[in-house]
Amino acid sequence: MQPGPHNAITDVPGVLVGQVERTDAPYLTGTTVVYFPGTAVAGVDVRGGAPGTRETDLLDPVNANPGVNAIVLSGGSAYGLDTAAGVMAWLEERGEGVRVGAGEHDVVPIVPTAVIFDLARGGDFKARPTADWGRDAITAATTDPVAQGNHGAGAGARVGGLKGGTGTASVRLPDGTTVAALAIVNAAGSAVAPTGRLYGDSSALADEFGVLNTPTEPPPAPPTGPIPGMNTVIAVIATDAPLDKAAAKRLAMIAHDGLARAIDPVHTLVDGDSIFGVSTAPKDTQRLSVTDPTALLRLETLFAAGARCLTRAITHGVLAAESVNSPAGRLSSYRDTYPSAFES
């Protein structure tokens, strides 16, 4: 199996991504919007102990909502949930959403949202995303390659004691189906094993991470005092396979295995780990169901691919992250902390 052309979530037909960020002091935060112009079937699985989310109950398979228009991943903790309002306003102006009346704009856009905690990482607690950031991000959405590292919601991300960021990866399965992940890597746990190697570097397809050595540098000193508060990995796993809502939720559930392969520990009480599973197949397509024995093999293949894509996306996010200096202190990247890992 090989990655898609961009090795990004935008390799999945029907997925566009737009991002905005500010890294000028006192800002160090951003917003990422995953936009589905034709709507998409979605599920979600939240396992962290400190989640910040919006409109996730609608995605439960027992509820009537048929699909989503966009998913927002943002910095700003609970304040960052406001970014969804800007995305909704943009969609409303285009008549995209659940139709609730005869008027051209009588719609209610469905925009589930999850946030990470990055407040004050640029030096000012109030320097955080607003509704305008969501509007700007969806306005910028394209099918182009996705900027990784210190972009979008990953601008102020931290993983363990290092700089985190935005990461993405895709795979094209033998039957032509595409599965992909986009992650905002902002965890209390570490992406780095005691040897200095990244937990996820063995997940590579071909040479997508380049040649990585076991570092010779000693690990940084562990942080003293209490565990740094409020972190979170948030992610979207997307496929063009025709999943129903229960199968989309299962895609999100199994993807947490991929999170656990890339970061240790996960799902702590100070993480809000939340993963969305999405199918962009056309509305009139016969859906794969978890209760259909004939769909079992295909579903298990998709679920496993989604988990592996998330491991790879997290690893890309850590590798692409760049060190930052701010009034709140320095966040060093993996590259700057372990330069010998990249020596040829």
Side-chain angles (χ1 to χ4, degrees):
M1 292 185 288
Q2 295 293 321
H6 299 322
N7 198 12
I9 197 169
T10 50
D11 289 326
V12 177
V15 175
L16 287 72
V17 173
Q19 303 192 98
V20 296
E21 67 279 330
R22 285 191 64 178
T23 57
D24 55 310
Y27 284 89
L28 189 60
T29 188
T31 299
T32 299
V33 174
V34 186
Y35 170 41
F36 313 106
T39 72
V41 171
V44 68
D45 191 45
V46 179
R47 299 196 186 180
T53 58
R54 167 175 166 159
E55 295 282 43
T56 51
D57 284 353
L58 281 172
L59 306 186
D60 191 307
V62 303
N63 292 332
N65 170 255
V68 302
N69 300 100
I71 294 174
V72 180
L73 309 177
S74 185
S77 188
Y79 296 104
L81 295 172
D82 285 350
T83 56
V87 175
M88 288 186 69
W90 187 92
L91 290 164
E92 179 189 20
E93 291 165 6
R94 287 153 182 79
E96 297 184 43
V98 176
R99 183 149 297 283
V100 293
E104 181 182 357
H105 302 296
D106 293 351
V107 295
V108 178
I110 306 301
V111 184
T113 304
V115 294
I116 65 168
F117 187 97
D118 58 5
L119 294 172
R121 289 198 183 147
D124 184 349
F125 187 86
K126 291 190 175 182
R128 58 203 183 215
T130 65
D132 287 341
W133 294 42
R135 175 184 283 275
D136 291 345
I138 194 169
T139 300
T142 72
T143 58
D144 293 341
V146 177
Q148 301 185 82
N150 300 14
H151 292 276
R158 175 187 65 195
V159 55
L162 300 178
K163 182 69 181 71
T166 299
T168 189
S170 70
V171 65
R172 188 69 53 81
L173 300 180
D175 66 358
T177 300
T178 300
V179 183
L182 185 149
I184 310 302
V185 187
N186 185 68
S190 177
V192 184
T195 61
R197 297 192 70 96
L198 292 170
Y199 283 118
D201 68 8
S202 63
S203 66
L205 289 182
D207 60 350
E208 64 179 319
F209 303 144
V211 177
L212 296 174
N213 308 308
T214 299
T216 58
E217 293 84 5
T224 59
I227 296 173
M230 306 305 177
N231 302 278
T232 298
V233 173
I234 51 180
V236 177
I237 315 298
T239 181
D240 55 348
L243 306 182
D244 66 9
K245 283 182 72 174
K249 179 177 177 66
R250 193 75 184 176
L251 177 66
M253 291 172 61
I254 301 302
H256 279 280
D257 294 348
L259 171 57
R261 295 180 195 130
I263 293 172
D264 183 42
V266 295
H267 307 151
T268 75
L269 290 174
V270 294
D271 286 291
D273 302 325
S274 304
I275 299 177
F276 298 92
V278 175
S279 167
T280 63
K283 293 179 182 178
D284 57 353
T285 308
Q286 181 68 35
R287 299 280 164 176
L288 298 170
S289 170
V290 296
T291 61
D292 180 2
T294 66
L296 179 63
L297 180 58
R298 188 175 181 195
L299 285 173
E300 293 294 356
T301 300
L302 291 166
F303 298 157
R308 293 181 186 123
C309 277
L310 183 56
T311 301
R312 293 165 50 221
I314 290 169
T315 305
H316 277 299
V318 176
L319 287 171
E322 299 176 5
S323 298
V324 295
N325 293 301
S326 80
R330 177 176 172 83
L331 279 175
S332 294
S333 69
Y334 179 78
R335 287 182 178 273
D336 288 345
T337 305
Y338 296 103
S340 64
F342 302 90
E343 293 174 356
S344 59

